[in-house]
Amino acid sequence: MIEKINETVRFIQSFCPEIPRIAMVFGSGISSEALLDQVFARLPYNKIPHFAISTVKNHKGELVIGERAGKTLLLFSGRLHYYEGYSAKEITYPVRILKDLGVEQLILTNAAGGVNPDFNAGDIMQISDHINLFPDHPLRGKNDERLGPRFPDMLHAYNPEFLVQMETLSTTLDIPLRKGVYLASQGPSLETPAEYTMMRFMGADAVGMSTVLETIVAVHSGIKVNGFSVISNECFPIERIVETSEQDVVDMVKKSEDRLMQLVAAWLDNYCP
Ligand code: HPA
């Protein structure tokens, strides 16, 4: 594993003029371009040593290396999902390499169904905590202490400082921002009305098919992590549910993309290490 990581890290480093302190992962239909002043490289995942390839239509699958206000950023445009058939370890490999690249803060984004009855489609939610219902775990198996501890603590999985900073920015910029618990189920089917109801009563505010495995590996690696869900469909109570296609999710996310990018850009400009 360590040799594999070294090889991937050396390859990516050759495109970075400076150490990238921030990495971001963009979910369904969310594009990164607005954040960058300059692009240094676009690396399709199939050109990066040891990366698996995204098979989903709205997930491009490329690493964009660029710069904003002189800071080098790694933007993963498109992610791997468990439902594509990959293991939890394979999906999280792009996060596993970040520590050695010098990344200190990871920002994850996704589209999610809203099960908090106060949430509306188009809302942006900061993830304050998560519930992991994946049937696989990225840390299952022998632990290599050089990568992280056997039993990583998850009390503050989502960097509390960042959560506060974002609340401040939401007020300053007058861009509404929700906060809540993201529950991950394996997909690829959306949930039945009964399942959404169960998830609400389990304590979820939003439901999706990604993010939590990446969070776990970031915590294990000692990288700060935060995430945003764009609420693409309303799921609780059951009278609010409407039939939802992949295109509906992408179309709804597109409407919120601008606001999300304004918040992230403001964080990069005001708080980024
Ligand atoms: N369930 C799971 N994943 C999702 C949903 C949903 O309702 N909406 C967008 N991603």
Side-chain angles (χ1 to χ4, degrees):
M1 183 71 157
I2 301 266
E3 264 167 41
K4 259 172 70 175
I5 294 172
N6 286 342
E7 200 183 329
T8 311
V9 166
R10 273 197 304 272
F11 177 79
I12 294 174
Q13 266 170 346
S14 68
F15 297 93
C16 297
E18 284 187 38
I19 295 174
R21 302 285 177 204
I22 307 293
M24 295 186 62
V25 178
F26 293 89
S28 309
I30 308 177
S31 137
S32 58
E33 303 299 310
L35 289 176
L36 295 173
D37 296 334
Q38 196 188 338
V39 173
F40 299 130
R42 285 176 201 280
L43 309 174
Y45 290 169
N46 64 1
K47 294 273 160 31
I48 305 176
H50 310 298
F51 265 46
I53 301 157
S54 172
T55 61
V56 194
K57 198 168 64 195
N58 286 298
H59 284 258
K60 236 198 281 175
E62 64 175 17
L63 168 59
V64 181
I65 303 173
E67 168 258 324
R68 181 184 179 87
K71 288 167 193 151
T72 302
L73 307 178
L74 299 181
L75 306 180
F76 292 89
S77 185
R79 59 152 55 86
L80 306 168
H81 295 85
Y82 185 75
Y83 60 71
E84 293 177 76
Y86 297 116
S87 70
K89 267 203 177 62
E90 285 170 319
I91 288 162
T92 52
Y93 185 72
V95 177
R96 179 53 79 194
I97 58 159
L98 296 179
K99 183 75 177 176
D100 285 355
L101 280 163
V103 169
E104 294 171 10
Q105 170 82 50
L106 172 64
I107 302 171
L108 305 167
T109 69
N110 61 52
V115 290
N116 182 324
D118 294 335
F119 288 7
N120 296 308
D123 284 358
I124 301 169
M125 181 191 91
Q126 272 214 88
I127 303 175
S128 57
D129 202 347
H130 77 217
I131 298 170
N132 174 17
L133 293 189
F134 279 112
D136 187 9
H137 197 288
L139 306 182
R140 184 166 177 271
K142 198 166 178 290
N143 186 58
D144 186 334
E145 290 287 327
R146 290 171 295 179
L147 299 179
R150 172 75 286 187
F151 301 107
D153 185 79
M154 296 295 282
L155 177 60
H156 296 299
Y158 295 88
N159 176 15
E161 239 180 299
F162 183 103
L163 285 161
V164 174
Q165 292 164 347
M166 268 300 160
E167 275 172 21
T168 306
L169 290 174
S170 151
T171 310
T172 317
L173 299 174
D174 197 20
I175 299 177
L177 186 59
R178 310 285 199 163
K179 194 164 73 173
V181 174
Y182 176 90
L183 181 149
S185 69
Q186 63 169 308
S189 50
L190 300 196
E191 288 67 29
T192 63
E195 286 166 343
Y196 284 128
T197 303
M198 172 190 76
M199 289 165 176
R200 178 61 188 157
F201 285 102
M202 287 173 90
D205 294 291
V207 179
M209 305 174 194
S210 67
T211 301
V212 301
L213 303 175
E214 292 148 335
T215 296
I216 290 167
V217 170
V219 170
H220 185 246
S221 313
I223 296 171
K224 292 176 190 154
V225 58
N226 289 89
F228 296 92
S229 294
V230 176
I231 304 301
S232 56
N233 46 310
E234 297 162 0
C235 309
F236 181 83
I238 59 175
E239 300 75 48
R240 300 178 79 201
I241 304 174
V242 293
E243 273 185 35
T244 304
S245 69
E246 185 186 3
Q247 195 56 46
D248 295 333
V249 169
V250 170
D251 290 346
M252 188 48 78
V253 167
K254 281 272 166 247
K255 289 187 192 158
S256 304
E257 181 179 331
D258 222 38
R259 278 176 286 131
L260 176 57
M261 287 307 129
Q262 278 183 57
L263 287 166
V264 172
W267 184 85
L268 290 169
D269 296 342
N270 289 282
Y271 296 107
C272 173

